[in-house]
């Protein structure tokens, strides 16, 4: 449990699950927690041990933004495990989604911004190890830069990281993704989508064999942390553009959640649900 009033919106996960379960009965499977072996494909052994044994330093806990507890450890392992289950599904059926994960602020040796382990990065390494995939693109459309992901894959020619984010928003020290498109505060649909088109063209040129989509919706107007002004319709167009790209490439896609912290959580849940509705509509 988190302290009352904590900024992390645990309630949205339940609401999103219930919304989608009602529309697509039986669509959910529960992924197993990630194993330590999988986590070690990306993360430092000392860091993984400190998280699981609860020996993180006070400063490391503060950076993470969560108090340590056994349930935090399980949630972090499940958050990666769910993305790996979605990956496994996508490799068989073409598309998979996880209604958690997208923890793009986790680095090799530390976590920050509510992100303990980097599920996207672990999924890349598992795809390369288990599924014979070499080139992977990560399309990160959370309003905050995917700094952990960018740092993990810096200099790796097999992984293309695209990040569209608020230039002035957290994290204040940005890492270098393969392509960073920093956008202004109060960014509107038309400006956002024009930049997205540029970003997706670069992904297309990279010719990935797998796409991971971090589909954070904290760019929605009214978000407490996003500082952008996208509409639900604009976000829907965003999702459609990503799915169209994946279809054009003819490769599997794994969709994860990401940020979304509406003052009113209703539109945030709608925007998240729309991503998965679009995924189902595109790939069946
Ligand atoms: Zn975010």
């Amino acid at each position: 449990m988190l302290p009352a009033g904590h900024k992390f919106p645990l309630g949205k996960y339940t609401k999103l699950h219930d919304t989608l379960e009602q529309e697509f009965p039986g669509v959910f499977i529960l992924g197993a927690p990630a194993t330590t072996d999988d986590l070690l494909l990306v993360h430092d052994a000392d860091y993984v041990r400190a998280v699981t044994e609860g020996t993180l330093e006070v400063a490391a806990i503060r950076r993470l933004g969560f108090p340590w507890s056994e349930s935090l450890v399980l949630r972090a392992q499940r958050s990666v495990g769910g993305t790996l289950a979605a990956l496994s599904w996508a490799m068989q059926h073409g598309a998979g989604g996880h209604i958690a994960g997208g923890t793009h602020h986790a680095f090799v040796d530390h976590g920050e911004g509510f992100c303990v382990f980097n599920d996207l990065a672990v999924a890349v390494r598992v795809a390369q190890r288990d599924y014979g995939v070499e080139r992977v693109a990560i399309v990160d459309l959370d309003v905050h830069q995917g700094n952990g992901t960018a740092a993990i894959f810096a200099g790796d020619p097999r992984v293309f990281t695209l990040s569209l984010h608020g230039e002035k928003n957290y994290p204040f020290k940005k890492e270098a993704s393969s392509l960073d498109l920093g956008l202004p505060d109060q960014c509107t649909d038309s400006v956002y989508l024009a930049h997205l088109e540029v970003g997706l063209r670069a992904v297309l040129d990279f010719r990935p064999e797998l796409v991971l989509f971090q589909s954070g919706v904290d760019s929605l107007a009214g978000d407490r942390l996003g500082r952008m002004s996208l509409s639900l319709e604009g976000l829907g167009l965003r999702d459609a553009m990503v799915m169209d790209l994946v279809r054009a490439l003819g490769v599997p896609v794994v969709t994860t959640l990401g940020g979304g912290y509406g003052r009113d959580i209703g539109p945030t849940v709608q925007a998240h649900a729309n991503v998965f509705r679009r995924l189902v509509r595109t790939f069946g």
Side-chain angles (χ1 to χ4, degrees):
M1 289 305 286
L2 294 169
H6 192 281
K7 262 193 290 199
F8 193 77
L10 270 183
K12 85 171 178 184
Y13 292 91
T14 316
K15 283 205 182 80
L16 177 61
H17 175 274
D18 295 350
T19 302
L20 292 172
E21 176 67 42
Q22 214 165 33
E23 280 178 43
F24 309 106
V27 78
F28 284 104
I29 53 168
L30 183 63
T35 64
T36 299
D37 274 355
D38 289 343
L39 296 174
L40 290 178
L41 291 171
V42 168
H43 293 286
D44 248 17
D46 287 345
Y47 174 58
V48 173
R49 197 175 314 115
V51 170
T52 48
E53 293 178 1
T55 55
L56 287 168
E57 310 261 338
V58 175
I61 301 257
R62 199 178 308 126
R63 212 166 174 188
L64 195 55
F66 285 133
W68 188 88
S69 66
E70 276 179 26
S71 69
L72 170 75
V73 177
L74 186 61
R75 196 145 43 83
Q77 291 165 332
R78 279 206 180 281
S79 185
V80 178
T83 299
L84 296 181
L87 170 68
S88 163
W89 188 268
M91 295 313 295
Q92 294 170 61
H93 305 281
H98 180 205
I99 60 159
T103 46
H104 58 169
H105 300 309
F107 288 70
V108 167
D109 62 356
H110 74 272
E112 56 181 66
F114 309 148
C115 299
V116 181
F117 300 127
N118 195 311
D119 63 316
L120 300 158
V122 174
V124 169
R125 294 304 182 216
V126 168
Q128 291 172 332
R129 183 192 64 190
D130 296 348
Y131 301 106
V133 166
E134 204 184 335
R135 298 163 70 77
V136 185
I138 299 175
V139 174
D140 187 334
L141 302 187
D142 191 281
V143 86
H144 303 102
Q145 195 213 20
N147 57 343
T149 313
I152 288 166
F153 295 114
D156 185 337
R158 298 175 304 162
V159 182
F160 188 92
T161 52
L162 167 68
S163 180
L164 262 72
H165 51 260
E167 186 60 31
K168 293 191 180 147
N169 208 328
Y170 173 92
F172 303 108
K173 178 185 171 293
K174 308 280 192 289
E175 303 289 332
S177 312
S178 307
L179 180 58
D180 285 300
L181 297 171
L183 298 164
D185 284 358
Q186 308 313 322
C187 185
T188 54
D189 291 347
S190 57
V191 172
Y192 189 94
L193 296 173
H195 283 81
L196 180 59
E197 201 177 330
V198 172
L200 294 182
R201 208 172 306 132
V203 173
L204 189 66
D205 290 344
F206 177 72
R207 292 278 148 198
E209 298 156 78
L210 168 70
V211 173
L212 308 184
F213 176 25
Q214 205 277 21
S215 67
V217 298
D218 38 10
S219 51
L220 185 65
D223 192 274
R224 279 181 295 139
L225 305 180
R227 311 199 323 217
M228 282 195 191
S229 302
L230 267 64
S231 67
L232 274 174
E233 294 72 28
L235 277 166
L237 290 170
R238 175 198 79 159
D239 302 336
M241 283 168 70
V242 174
M243 301 302 167
D244 287 351
L245 165 84
V246 172
R247 212 164 34 178
L249 284 164
V251 300
V253 61
V254 177
T255 298
T256 73
L257 234 57
Y261 315 91
R263 268 175 280 275
D264 173 4
I265 207 68
T268 297
V269 171
Q270 269 315 315
H272 280 310
N274 286 342
V275 176
F276 293 91
R277 290 173 182 136
R278 173 68 62 178
L279 188 72
V280 172
R281 214 176 306 145
T282 310
F283 299 98

